[in-house]
Amino acid sequence: MSGRGDGHRWADAPRGVRVTFAVLVAIFAYGAAVHLTQLHLGGLDPYPAMPSWLAAYFGSLALLDPAAALLLALRRRAGLALGAVVLTTDALANAYANYVVDRTGGVTPGRMGQAVIAALALGLLLAAPRIAPWLNGGRDRAGRFSGR
């Protein structure tokens, strides 16, 4: 995401925007790695303590996380929308898993992870209006439809 040359995908974006997108891509790539690892290590039932609908959702993140990362890296608005939905629903799903399914009291690693995901979701939702104009597939910063 460096600003090399006019033909570079991110050349017109300010450094802060480029850094934000690099961080978002890294977050979703990390999420993909975590969920793929859980599926690989867990076999046919990687989330045995979870209700089937919740296990299916967590399994779907092995596809949704890399899709969000790729769309964001390609500078598509769909990536921002998908990323916001994924992080928000992931925070909610982890809250259910850590506060409803897991009846353990106090602070647990799962609850700490859920707090991090919730903070990332909130950060993305707050940043989205400021970073969306730098994406293709909608109106550009001047309000013209880009059609890409």
Side-chain angles (χ1 to χ4, degrees):
M1 290 190 179
S2 67
R4 290 175 279 135
D6 292 338
H8 190 268
R9 178 178 307 278
W10 291 91
D12 64 332
R15 180 172 174 76
V17 170
R18 293 191 314 262
V19 169
T20 299
F21 281 101
V23 168
L24 287 171
V25 169
I27 288 168
F28 287 108
Y30 173 78
V34 167
H35 291 287
L36 286 168
T37 300
Q38 289 171 337
L39 288 175
H40 176 72
L41 296 177
L44 295 175
D45 192 10
Y47 310 101
M50 296 297 131
S52 58
W53 63 268
L54 190 56
Y57 171 76
F58 286 138
S60 75
L61 293 175
L63 298 174
L64 295 173
D65 281 339
L70 177 62
L71 288 168
L72 285 165
L74 292 174
R75 206 170 168 174
R76 298 290 180 232
R77 287 185 183 218
L80 187 60
L82 178 60
V85 168
V86 166
L87 280 178
T88 302
T89 58
D90 195 8
L92 293 170
N94 273 286
Y96 186 88
N98 285 288
Y99 292 99
V100 176
V101 176
D102 180 2
R103 302 243 182 229
T104 305
V107 177
T108 65
R111 290 178 182 161
M112 290 172 24
Q114 187 278 331
V116 170
I117 296 167
L120 292 171
L122 181 60
L124 178 54
L125 292 172
L126 291 173
R130 289 187 291 279
I131 60 178
W134 296 98
L135 296 171
N136 300 325
R139 297 199 178 273
D140 64 15
R141 290 176 300 288
R144 299 178 301 255
F145 184 72
S146 69
R148 289 188 260 164

